[in-house]
């Protein structure tokens, strides 16, 4: 490995590889560094191994940031259609699922291989199992980077005597594409935030995003008994609402509705579930009382919506929400009690104890503040030739391919100028 490059990119994930291939196509000498033993690990595990690589409908409203306008320029410069064209040009088979989500037909490896093939074709060097130990600037605003091999437990001490000291690399442009803190088992660290702080950038407080909710009270036990059961709901809080599927788990609530809402949730805030989003539950219950006065709630509620709520779920809801009238005929239940129950079925307010955290989070909320980053190029306004791209920035997308599109777009615009 040579020591002098035009561009060094730290992070061999989606945004880093996109930046690398874009810069290399311009004739730049590019090196990508990563402490992992394989490039694109999160690409490979995303979308259940099928990689939800973008969405047919990309808009700034699909992203969270302290500056909601920041992402607009990059998304306009490199759109979902640009990446779709790239995928099609390389013959990667894909298909559309619900809500405009695009997935590989075969494997996420197809997307990673596409990126690696373009990188290799244009001379990009990818150095894995490398730890960046120090970053310094020179008088001409270039960078000197101290890099050492990552220790391998399977490697003998004698092997390391071959190259015991760090190597110093030099580059004109440095790109930080290290991602966030989500899924630490995949190698996620806060290194990018450390670099940003070193050069005077603020960090918007980080938290787990696109992550399941957990419950430790009576609801936790009830939800655990329903693990594996799914239902369509409208999940909401004071900030957002999503009409999507919800999944009960051994730890709480997951599924698209919960993951999406988690991006808009803070610890201590309640969330609201509309369990019958297709109808006005109060009107329906009062009508059932008139038409079937001798029936029990558990016998009529399965007919409320199609597909019907699972029987196991109805039994649990009965214990939680209407145990007092479980064996009372509809005609004998006071209207006010049915109205209260109807309001609950359409707006059941519950309080999560937390989330599953970074361990299972798909993204990291917060990150490098965008107020000192140029939105058209991703360049630092505090340190010339320093760039931040992808998840390390305070830009968080919805579930459904939006975070990958941010990686492609931010990586591309930086790659155009480094």
């Amino acid at each position: 490995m040579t020591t002098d490059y035009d561009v060094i990119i730290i992070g061999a994930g989606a945004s880093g590889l996109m930046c690398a291939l874009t810069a290399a196509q311009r004739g730049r000498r590019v090196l990508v560094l990563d402490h992992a033993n394989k490039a694109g690990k999160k690409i490979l595990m995303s979308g259940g191994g099928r990689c939800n690589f973008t969405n047919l409908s990309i808009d700034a409203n699909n992203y969270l940031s302290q500056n909601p306008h920041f992402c607009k320029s990059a998304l306009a410069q490199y759109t979902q259609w640009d990446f779709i064209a790239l995928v099609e040009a390389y013959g990667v088979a894909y298909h559309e699922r619900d809500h405009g989500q695009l997935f590989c037909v075969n494997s996420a490896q197809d997307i990673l291989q596409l990126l690696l093939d373009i990188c290799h074709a244009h001379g990009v060097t990818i150095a894995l199992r490398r730890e960046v130990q120090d970053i310094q600037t020179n008088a001409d605003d270039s960078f000197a980077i101290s890099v050492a091999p990552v220790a391998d437990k399977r490697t003998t001490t004698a092997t390391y005597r071959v190259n015991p000291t760090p190597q110093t690399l030099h580059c004109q442009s440095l790109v930080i594409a290290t991602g966030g803190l989500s899924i630490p088992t995949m190698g996620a660290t806060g290194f990018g935030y450390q670099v940003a702080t070193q050069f005077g950038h603020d960090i918007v407080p980080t938290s787990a995003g696109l992550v399941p909710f957990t419950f430790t009270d009576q609801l936790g036990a009830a939800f655990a008994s329903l693990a594996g059961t799914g239902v369509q709901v409208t999940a909401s809080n004071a900030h957002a609402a999503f009409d999507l599927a919800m999944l009960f788990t051994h730890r709480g609530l997951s599924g698209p509705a919960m993951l999406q809402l988690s991006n808009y949730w803070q610890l201590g805030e309640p969330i609201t579930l509309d369990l019958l989003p297709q109808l006005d539950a109060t009107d329906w219950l009062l009508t059932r009382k008139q038409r079937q006065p001798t029936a029990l709630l558990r016998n009529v509620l399965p007919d409320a919506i199609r597909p019907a709520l699972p029987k196991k779920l109805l039994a649990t809801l009965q214990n939680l929400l209407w145990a007092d009238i479980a064996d009372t005929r509809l005609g004998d239940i006071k209207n006010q009690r049915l109205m209260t129950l109807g309001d609950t079925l359409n707006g059941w307010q519950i309080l999560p104890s937390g989330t599953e955290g970074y361990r299972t989070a798909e993204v990291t909320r917060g990150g490098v503040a965008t107020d000192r980053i140029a939105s058209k190029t991703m360049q630092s306004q505090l340190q010339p030739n320093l760039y931040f791209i992808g998840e390390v920035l305070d830009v968080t997308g919805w579930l459904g391919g939006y975070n990958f599109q941010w990686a492609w777009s931010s990586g591309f615009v930086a790659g155009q100028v480094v």
Side-chain angles (χ1 to χ4, degrees):
M1 190 169 67
T2 62
T3 59
D4 293 293
Y5 295 87
D6 297 319
V7 185
I8 291 180
I9 300 167
I10 304 178
S15 64
L17 293 176
M18 188 67 184
C19 182
L21 68 87
T22 304
Q25 286 173 330
R26 296 173 43 237
R28 306 292 279 168
R29 294 171 301 144
V30 181
L31 169 66
V32 181
L33 299 170
D34 202 297
H35 68 279
N37 61 359
K38 182 182 292 186
K41 280 190 170 183
K42 284 188 73 174
I43 296 176
L44 292 176
M45 59 83 68
S46 66
R50 296 293 178 88
C51 188
N52 178 194
F53 57 83
T54 193
N55 195 288
L56 292 177
S57 178
I58 299 288
D59 186 87
N61 292 327
N62 303 126
Y63 296 87
L64 292 80
S65 173
Q66 284 197 345
N67 178 0
H69 302 290
F70 177 80
C71 64
K72 291 180 177 179
S73 178
L75 293 174
Q77 290 183 68
Y78 191 86
T79 70
Q80 67 271 38
W81 309 113
D82 293 315
F83 194 76
I84 292 169
L86 182 64
V87 166
E88 292 178 345
Y90 276 77
V92 175
Y94 67 91
H95 66 282
E96 178 186 354
R97 297 188 191 174
D98 294 341
H99 310 290
Q101 302 170 82
L102 300 187
F103 286 78
C104 295
V105 169
N106 299 313
S107 165
Q109 180 66 45
D110 291 346
I111 295 296
L112 177 57
Q113 199 60 52
L114 177 161
L115 300 171
L116 293 175
D117 285 350
I118 301 175
C119 283
H120 293 155
H122 292 86
V124 173
T125 300
I126 299 176
L128 302 173
R129 300 196 62 78
R130 297 297 197 281
E131 179 184 18
V132 176
Q133 297 187 335
D134 185 54
I135 299 173
Q136 297 297 328
T137 55
N138 301 314
D140 62 351
D141 288 321
S142 63
F143 297 89
I145 304 170
S146 178
V147 179
V150 172
D152 190 332
K153 294 178 181 179
R154 298 168 298 178
T155 304
T156 65
T157 304
T159 302
Y160 271 94
R161 283 201 285 268
V162 175
N163 184 19
T165 58
Q167 182 180 27
T168 299
L169 307 176
H170 303 274
C171 64
Q172 187 60 44
S173 296
L174 176 62
V175 183
I176 306 301
T178 50
L181 298 170
S182 52
I183 316 183
T185 56
M186 302 294 290
T189 72
F191 178 79
Y193 309 139
Q194 297 171 24
V195 176
T197 301
Q198 176 184 340
F199 289 99
H201 288 274
D202 294 329
I203 306 299
V204 176
T206 59
S207 61
L210 298 182
V211 62
F213 289 104
T214 58
F215 297 80
T216 56
D217 54 10
Q218 176 192 13
L219 288 181
F223 293 165
S225 72
L226 295 169
T229 301
V231 64
Q232 192 79 10
V233 301
T234 298
S236 63
N237 63 7
H239 316 291
F242 296 95
D243 186 8
L244 294 165
M246 181 180 75
L247 179 69
F248 293 91
T249 75
H250 290 290
R251 291 175 292 275
L253 296 175
S254 187
M258 295 295 99
L259 299 184
Q260 294 282 42
L261 192 62
S262 71
N263 270 0
Y264 295 85
W265 180 81
Q266 298 294 333
L267 186 63
E269 293 180 347
I271 62 175
T272 300
L273 302 179
D274 183 346
L275 298 168
L276 301 172
Q278 304 170 27
L279 54 78
D280 183 315
T282 296
D283 286 348
W284 189 87
L285 288 170
L286 293 175
T287 300
R288 289 300 101 191
K289 177 179 178 177
Q290 295 298 318
R291 295 180 179 177
Q292 298 173 271
T294 62
L296 299 179
L297 276 168
R298 60 175 170 269
N299 295 327
V300 299
L301 273 170
D303 299 325
I305 59 172
R306 287 288 180 267
L309 293 177
K311 291 183 179 179
K312 190 175 183 180
L313 172 59
L314 280 172
T316 299
L317 291 176
Q318 174 178 278
N319 292 334
L320 292 172
L321 304 180
W322 68 88
D324 59 313
I325 52 174
D327 296 313
T328 304
R329 299 185 305 175
L330 278 172
D332 296 329
I333 302 174
K334 293 183 179 180
N335 284 356
Q336 184 58 51
R337 182 66 182 92
L338 290 177
M339 293 169 66
T340 300
L341 177 58
D343 288 344
T344 301
L345 291 171
N346 280 144
W348 186 23
Q349 192 169 93
I350 57 179
L351 183 64
S353 60
T355 72
E356 292 190 11
Y358 293 118
R359 182 180 63 84
T360 60
E362 296 195 18
V363 292
T364 301
R365 292 190 292 177
V368 179
T370 61
D371 57 348
R372 297 297 182 91
I373 305 292
S375 63
K376 293 182 179 180
T377 64
M378 303 296 119
Q379 183 174 197
S380 166
Q381 295 173 345
L382 301 177
Q383 173 59 52
N385 303 322
L386 176 64
Y387 299 78
F388 295 89
I389 59 175
E391 189 182 349
V392 73
L393 287 163
D394 174 34
V395 177
T396 304
W398 285 11
L399 183 74
Y402 298 98
N403 288 292
F404 270 123
Q405 186 58 47
W406 173 245
W408 314 138
S409 297
S410 60
F412 174 84
V413 298
Q416 288 283 84
V417 296
V418 291

